[in-house]
Amino acid sequence: LIYAGFWFYLALNTRQGVVQWIEQQRLRGFTIRYDSLEATGFPFSIKLELTNPGFGAPTAINPWGWEGAKLQLAIKPWDMNNIQARTVGSQMLAFPVNGGMQAFTGEVQEALGYFRLAGGNPEKLRIVLSGVDLKPEKTGLGPIEISAADFALEQLENGTVNYQTPSWSLEGSAGAFSLPWLRKSPLGDNVRRLVIDGRLMGSLDNDPLIESLENW
């Protein structure tokens, strides 16, 4: 009974925290919508399920938008700093291609996102994709097809570090994939395999990206 009360307390607080976060992002210019937001998962996890979610940044320099049938956020009651996001099924992704906004629609077998927080800030992000098949709404563009991919971005040092110290790592690999913006590249639009293992030496400022890269 004590644990059940503890779980419901955390579930309600977590749901309310997500609602507040959504309102904060809307004030920053993002568009976020959903039909319903329910807390499930008792007793071993807290799962927040959003029906017909949509996220977008229409006023950004490079605007984008995403819509799906469902989005599930899951955490463990005893570990609130590790969050898993999961979506499957029908998806829509929109972003600029060749100077104009283009929409891609289709199916995703599974898309997983793992987030680890430290002091409320993201410390590690891992993205796992399988069976991505999104077709363009306009002709003349190639599809977005990804058989499988697994990439992880992790912060190694917090704060400002010198150019001899790695501050972030990026590791991962992808199986056969095809992306529309690769069509005009020397690689062509079909890549059989991609492997990345990199480190960012030094740290980036909190200035706009171009200025931060120039300073770095």
Side-chain angles (χ1 to χ4, degrees):
L1 289 175
I2 292 175
Y3 178 79
F6 173 71
W7 184 93
F8 280 105
Y9 171 79
L10 285 181
L12 291 175
N13 277 6
T14 302
R15 185 187 185 281
Q16 184 61 29
V18 170
V19 171
Q20 293 175 353
W21 179 86
I22 289 174
E23 292 303 321
Q24 292 172 357
Q25 303 315 305
R26 286 172 174 167
L27 293 175
R28 295 176 58 192
F30 293 92
T31 58
I32 304 178
R33 67 166 183 80
Y34 56 91
D35 290 345
S36 63
L37 173 56
E38 298 182 358
T40 62
F42 182 82
F44 299 117
S45 65
I46 298 173
K47 297 179 180 179
L48 299 179
E49 297 187 355
L50 292 89
T51 304
N52 294 324
F55 297 84
T59 60
I61 297 176
N62 294 305
W64 56 269
W66 168 82
E67 295 179 0
K70 284 188 177 182
L71 176 64
Q72 183 185 86
L73 305 175
I75 59 175
K76 302 295 184 184
W78 53 87
D79 184 7
M80 305 291 285
N81 289 321
N82 284 284
I83 305 170
Q84 176 186 291
R86 179 178 183 267
T87 184
V88 298
S90 300
Q91 313 285 324
M92 188 284 296
L93 187 62
F95 52 87
V97 178
N98 298 333
M101 286 294 290
Q102 306 292 344
F104 296 78
T105 59
E107 299 288 324
V108 172
Q109 182 177 340
E110 186 176 55
L112 294 171
Y114 299 93
F115 307 87
R116 188 174 72 205
L117 305 179
N121 297 315
E123 183 181 60
K124 184 175 182 179
L125 167 64
R126 182 185 174 198
I127 301 294
V128 182
L129 304 173
S130 61
V132 177
D133 185 9
L134 305 179
K135 299 293 191 290
E137 290 188 348
K138 296 183 179 180
T139 59
L141 292 175
I144 299 177
E145 297 176 340
I146 305 173
S147 60
D150 187 344
F151 291 94
L153 178 67
E154 182 174 8
Q155 186 178 31
L156 303 177
E157 295 288 343
N158 191 14
T160 302
V161 296
N162 62 36
Y163 70 95
Q164 295 179 321
T165 305
S167 58
W168 289 85
S169 69
L170 174 61
E171 300 176 348
S173 63
F177 64 90
S178 176
L179 303 174
W181 51 83
L182 290 177
R183 177 165 291 185
K184 296 182 180 180
S185 75
L187 297 175
D189 58 355
N190 290 287
V191 178
R192 292 181 59 189
R193 183 167 175 79
L194 172 68
V195 177
I196 292 178
D197 184 2
R199 303 291 184 273
L200 174 66
M201 307 303 293
S203 54
L204 294 175
D205 301 330
N206 292 324
D207 299 323
L209 180 59
I210 293 178
E211 296 179 16
S212 298
L213 289 175
E214 289 177 343
N215 293 337
W216 176 78

